[in-house]
Amino acid sequence: MINRQRFICGALLLGGVMWGAGQALADEISGTLNGEPKQWHVVTHAEGSTAYFSEIMPNMINVTVQGHREAHYETQGTLSIGFMVMNGVASSASVGYFPENSMMPHYGTEQEVPIEIELLDIDSDPGRAKGRITTSLAYIASMSEDYDHGNTMDVDVSFDVALAKE
């Protein structure tokens, strides 16, 4: 099974390469981070989006919903939600929050957590995902260290985003 945190970091890094320049439009993700109201933007560009889905194999789809503080790509303040869809059903997700302008340190889910999906359309391009996730994120200083469960952030967000097909 894919290590979801490493996958999220890789997707975030790839997004930085793709969205480093150019005009962008944005979808929004909203909710709270440690009880403070927050809003994130999905960055859309002629070449794709930071909210996307891709088929790994038949009946196995990977979905990434990545939101940024501003309507342009930047690592600092990014919220990333990744989940798999197996035979049309999504049951759990990985979440990461990047407080600095780098992949490490960050806050994330050590294991996949439940996700509520109200609507998921992966049969068209663009697709659409609408849902909510509420969880606690633990701090991780580096890939070689364990999660620090004494240093956490609570996240409660809803999203309704167009999904680019990769």
Side-chain angles (χ1 to χ4, degrees), residues 27-31 36-41 67-70 77:
D27 288 340
E28 295 178 354
I29 302 163
S30 61
E36 292 184 34
K38 297 283 183 183
Q39 188 171 0
W40 293 270
H41 304 274
H68 303 274
R69 295 183 308 167
E70 304 293 332

Side-chain angles (χ1 to χ4, degrees), residues 29-36 38 40 78-81 94-97 107-109 113-114 132-138 152-158:
I29 302 163
S30 61
T32 60
L33 183 65
N34 263 359
E36 292 184 34
K38 297 283 183 183
W40 293 270
T78 295
L79 178 72
S80 185
I81 302 165
S94 290
V95 181
Y97 175 72
Y107 290 83
T109 51
V113 296
R132 180 179 182 172
I133 193 157
T134 302
T135 191
S136 183
L137 308 176
T152 62
M153 299 183 96
D154 293 326
V155 63
D156 182 356
V157 295
S158 296

Side-chain angles (χ1 to χ4, degrees), residues 78-152:
T78 295
L79 178 72
S80 185
I81 302 165
F83 59 94
M84 299 293 282
V85 179
M86 302 281 288
N87 298 315
V89 178
S91 60
S92 60
S94 290
V95 181
Y97 175 72
F98 300 84
E100 298 180 19
N101 204 16
S102 62
M103 297 297 123
M104 291 292 175
H106 71 264
Y107 290 83
T109 51
E110 188 171 6
Q111 299 176 359
E112 292 193 345
V113 296
I115 186 169
E116 298 173 30
I117 300 295
E118 183 178 327
L119 179 122
L120 181 62
D121 174 8
I122 52 176
D123 292 325
S124 53
D125 182 16
R128 183 176 171 200
K130 182 176 183 178
R132 180 179 182 172
I133 193 157
T134 302
T135 191
S136 183
L137 308 176
Y139 182 79
I140 183 165
S142 72
M143 290 298 227
S144 62
E145 295 185 35
D146 290 331
Y147 286 86
D148 179 356
H149 296 282
N151 182 358
T152 62

Side-chain angles (χ1 to χ4, degrees), residues 15 18-29 40-52 64-68 70-74 125-127 160-165:
M18 292 176 64
W19 312 119
Q23 291 291 87
L25 301 172
D27 288 340
E28 295 178 354
I29 302 163
W40 293 270
H41 304 274
V42 173
V43 180
T44 304
H45 186 272
E47 297 174 19
S49 173
T50 59
Y52 58 90
T64 298
V65 176
Q66 190 179 101
H68 303 274
E70 304 293 332
H72 60 83
Y73 184 87
E74 177 182 14
D125 182 16
D160 186 358
V161 298
L163 297 172
K165 184 175 183 178

